[in-house]
Amino acid sequence: MPHLAVRHGVTQLIVDGRPFLIRGGELENSSASSLPYLNALWPKFIAMHFNTVIAPVYWQMIEPQEGRFDFTTVDGLLQGARAHHMHLVLLWFGSWKNSVSCYAPDWVKENEQRFPRAQLPDGRGLEILSSFSKTNLDADTAAFVALMRHLRAIDSAQHTVLMVQVENEIGMIPKARDYSPAANAAFNAPVPAALTTYLAAHRNLLGDEVGADWKEFGSKTGANWQDTFGSGPLTDNIFDAWSEARYTGAVAAAGKAAYPLPMYVNTALIPGGGRPLPELFGVWRAAAPAIDFFAPDIYFPNFAQWANRYQRVDNPLFIPESGRADAAQLGADAFYADAALYALGFSVYAPEKLTAGDQKTLGQAYEVLDELTPLILAGQMQARREIGILPSTTFNGTEDLKPLSYDLGDYTFTATFRRGWPPVPPGQTEPPIPGAHGGLILQLGPNDFLVAGTGMFLTFGVAGSGQEQAGIDSIWEGTFVHGVWTPGLNLNGDDDNQGRWLELPAGQFTIRRVKLYRYR
Ligand code: DGJ
C-alpha cells in the first residue's frame, strides 16, 4: 500500500517500497467530468514531466441516485493515468468544496428536510450541508466508503492512486460557524472532553493560540464553548474546526477501514472559520485522527512563509495547489519545498489551462526535478546534505533580494540574485536578475556538489574559517540520463567569470556540478 513513513525524523510517501516525490498538477475543477476531454490532456501532462495528477471525484457523478453508484469516470481516470504511467491523488468532492456543498447529488440538495443546511444567525439557510447532521455524515460516508471499496477492488494491486484528499477547502463562510438549531445547541453544551483532554495532554507542545486561549480562560473542562474559550471570534473558529473536523475525520476513518490510503485535508489560507490553519491543527488532530496531514493551497507570493508553517514535526508538507504566479516562480517554489522543507511533493492548479509558454517552463523545472529526485529523496534522509534556496517575498509580492548564505559540508554557499558583472559605479545597486530566483544544492562528496535552479549566482567560501578561502576546480553543466550524470560543457573563463562564481541563468532551470577546493 502507498503509505507515509517517518525515517530519520522526515516523513516520506512510500510507493511500492520506495520513497516517492510528487511532481504534479491538480486538474481544473471540471476537467475530470468528461473522459474524452480528460483523455486529450494526458500528453500535456507527460510533456510537463508530471508523475502524478491530482483529480477530483464528484459525489454527484458517482452516486446519481441514492445507493446506486456509477464509477465510469473514476475507472476512465485510472485507465488514462495507467496508460500514461502516471499516478493519481484523488480529491473527494463530497459534502464541501470551498465551503459550499455544490457537489452533493441532486437527491441531497433537493431534500433539505432530510439533509439539513447550515444557517446564518437570522435563520436563513446556506448551500452548505450542516456538519451537525448525522444524516449528512452518513450519506457522505456511504458514498466515500463505496469509492474506497471500489479503489481497493481495482487498484490494490497496481497502486495508481497514492493518496486521497477528503473534502476540499473546508471552512464556514460567510460566518465562521453554523447557526442552525443543532449547532446552537452544541455551542451551548459542554466542550467535548476529547478536546480538553487533548489540550491538556499537549499543553507544552501546542504553544499555539488555542492552547493559550484555553489557559487564559482557566483551562476549564465541562463548560460551554464561550466559558471555555471566551466570546471572541477565535471561539467560533475553534467550534467550527471541531465540528467540521469530527465530520471529516469520521468520513476519512470509514474510508480508511475500506482501503487505507494516506488521507489529508487541504486548506485555503484565509482566516475565519474552522479550516486547518496552523493555529487550529491541535483541534483538528484531536477531532480527526484519521487525517494524516494538512496541506496548504498556496496562491500568495509569500510562498516560503506559508510552506514553512505547514512543515512541522507533526505535519509533512504537501502542496496540492499553487498558482497565480508565473511558471518559473512555481518551479523555483517546487525546488525549495522539496529540498529545504522535505515536501512530499508539489502541484500546480489547473496546469491544463496554463499558456503553452508557462507549460514549457514548468515542464523544464519538473524535468530537472525528475532527474534529481533520487538525490533529493536520499538527501532528505541525511540531514545537512541538501539546501533549498528561495529569496523571501512578502504577502504583497515584494522580493527581498539580499544575498543568502548557507553552510553545507565544509563550504559556505552565497546565493546572489542581482547582476554581478560588470560592476556598477560606487553607491549604485546592481539591477536584479530578471524573472524567478531559487533552486537547490546537493552535496555529493566533500568537495563535490550539484546545484540546480534559476536566476542566481553562487559564490563560495570555507565554512567557519577566517583564513581559508574556497576556489572552483571545475563547473560542468549536465543532465542525469537514466540516473547517470552526463556532462555537457565545462563552464570556464567568461562562463564562471574566471573562476569567481557559478551562474544559474535566468528564465531556465539547469543543473551544474561544481568541484571546490580550499586555499589560503
Ligand atoms: C482552491 C480550490 O481548492 C480549487 O478547487 C479551485 O477552486 C481554486 N481554489 C481556484 O483558484
Side-chain angles (χ1 to χ4, degrees):
M1 279 300 287
H3 64 278
L4 300 173
V6 184
R7 296 186 302 175
H8 305 284
V10 174
T11 303
Q12 292 185 322
L13 174 63
I14 309 295
V15 181
D16 295 325
R18 286 203 297 273
F20 190 90
L21 184 59
I22 291 177
R23 294 184 310 279
E26 178 169 316
L27 294 180
E28 200 276 337
N29 293 155
S30 308
S31 292
S33 61
S34 152
L35 288 175
Y37 180 88
L38 178 62
N39 284 335
L41 300 178
W42 294 109
K44 285 190 184 185
F45 301 148
I46 290 179
M48 282 188 269
H49 293 267
F50 290 4
N51 59 11
T52 305
V53 165
I54 304 185
V57 174
Y58 318 101
W59 184 9
Q60 62 183 180
M61 280 189 80
I62 66 158
E63 196 182 7
Q65 287 167 22
E66 188 170 7
R68 198 178 68 73
F69 291 95
D70 177 353
F71 291 112
T72 312
T73 48
V74 177
D75 294 344
L77 176 66
L78 265 77
Q79 277 158 17
R82 286 175 184 162
H84 297 89
H85 308 289
M86 204 73 78
H87 284 282
L88 293 168
V89 170
L90 296 184
L91 312 175
W92 173 234
F93 282 11
S95 288
W96 303 300
K97 181 337 182 145
N98 297 34
S99 308
V100 180
S101 301
C102 47
Y103 289 94
D106 302 4
W107 53 269
V108 172
K109 282 183 183 162
E110 291 169 10
N111 191 349
E112 62 178 306
Q113 290 304 323
R114 190 172 156 214
F115 302 105
R117 307 292 183 84
Q119 290 178 16
L120 291 167
D122 65 7
R124 268 181 302 152
L126 293 161
E127 208 189 2
I128 298 178
L129 289 172
S130 173
S131 57
F132 293 90
S133 158
K134 173 114 176 24
T135 327
N136 294 348
L137 172 61
D138 289 347
D140 186 326
T141 304
F144 188 62
V145 167
L147 170 66
M148 296 310 292
R149 280 199 189 124
H150 186 70
L151 289 182
R152 183 183 63 199
I154 63 168
D155 198 43
S156 54
Q158 271 175 277
H159 306 149
T160 301
V161 181
L162 304 179
M163 305 198 285
V164 176
Q165 177 189 295
V166 191
E167 314 293 349
N168 188 84
E169 292 201 348
I170 295 165
M172 283 287 298
I173 46 169
K175 292 284 176 192
R177 75 167 182 90
D178 181 356
Y179 287 84
S180 63
N184 288 340
F187 193 64
N188 293 318
V191 171
L195 177 55
T196 48
T197 305
Y198 184 95
L199 293 176
H202 295 80
R203 211 180 276 270
N204 299 328
L205 230 172
L206 285 173
D208 65 15
E209 266 184 82
V210 176
D213 192 40
W214 184 52
K215 202 168 151 208
E216 187 188 329
F217 288 90
S219 305
K220 290 196 188 83
T221 55
N224 72 23
W225 290 81
Q226 286 204 342
D227 289 346
T228 307
F229 296 109
S231 55
L234 181 59
T235 302
D236 288 353
N237 296 348
I238 298 171
F239 176 72
D240 187 48
W242 177 260
S243 62
E244 293 189 314
R246 288 287 282 193
Y247 187 108
T248 309
V251 172
K256 277 188 169 179
Y259 186 52
L261 285 177
M263 294 194 186
Y264 70 93
V265 165
N266 67 332
T267 319
L269 302 176
I270 46 175
R275 59 194 93 251
L277 289 162
E279 57 269 26
L280 291 174
F281 277 12
V283 182
W284 272 83
R285 294 231 180 278
I291 299 298
D292 295 294
F293 61 90
F294 309 110
D297 294 340
I298 311 185
Y299 290 94
F300 298 132
N302 54 340
F303 176 88
Q305 222 177 320
W306 279 112
N308 274 278
R309 294 190 67 199
Y310 276 78
Q311 168 59 292
R312 309 190 344 175
V313 194
D314 61 350
N315 199 70
L317 178 65
F318 174 60
I319 296 121
E321 297 182 40
S322 62
R324 292 188 207 125
D326 71 65
Q329 186 60 54
L330 297 174
D333 293 346
F335 275 58
Y336 175 77
D338 292 347
L341 302 176
Y342 306 162
L344 304 177
F346 181 93
S347 153
V348 169
Y349 179 68
E352 68 274 39
K353 303 271 175 172
L354 294 177
T355 63
D358 276 347
Q359 289 186 0
K360 193 162 171 248
T361 305
L362 180 67
Q364 217 225 335
Y366 273 7
E367 183 177 14
V368 170
L369 279 179
D370 183 10
E371 292 176 30
L372 296 175
T373 287
L375 292 163
I376 293 172
L377 287 167
Q380 292 182 350
M381 293 292 95
Q382 297 164 296
R384 295 181 296 281
R385 288 296 291 268
E386 68 185 316
I387 300 277
I389 304 171
L390 194 67
S392 80
T393 303
T394 61
F395 176 72
N396 61 17
T398 311
E399 218 181 356
D400 182 351
L401 290 184
K402 71 170 176 310
L404 297 172
S405 289
Y406 309 87
D407 284 353
L408 188 58
D410 291 341
Y411 294 97
T412 300
F413 294 74
T414 299
T416 310
F417 312 105
R418 293 182 174 279
R419 196 193 73 194
W421 197 264
V424 292
Q428 287 187 21
T429 319
E430 297 86 356
I433 297 171
H437 316 100
L440 56 81
I441 311 172
L442 292 158
Q443 183 169 22
L444 300 180
N447 303 306
D448 191 7
F449 298 87
L450 285 173
V451 299
T454 188
M456 58 187 165
F457 291 96
L458 288 169
T459 54
F460 311 97
V462 174
S465 159
Q467 293 294 315
E468 276 190 309
Q469 302 181 65
I472 296 171
D473 264 336
S474 61
I475 299 174
W476 290 88
E477 64 172 15
T479 53
F480 283 88
V481 181
H482 304 302
V484 179
W485 173 246
T486 309
L489 286 181
N490 174 242
L491 296 170
N492 54 54
D494 292 347
D495 296 324
D496 68 352
N497 199 10
Q498 336 307 328
R500 289 191 185 89
W501 68 53
L502 181 157
E503 181 184 5
L504 289 168
Q508 53 183 301
F509 289 82
T510 48
I511 311 178
R512 307 280 186 249
R513 184 166 184 170
V514 57
K515 194 168 159 232
L516 301 175
Y517 70 98
R518 295 183 288 179
Y519 67 97
R520 280 182 184 274

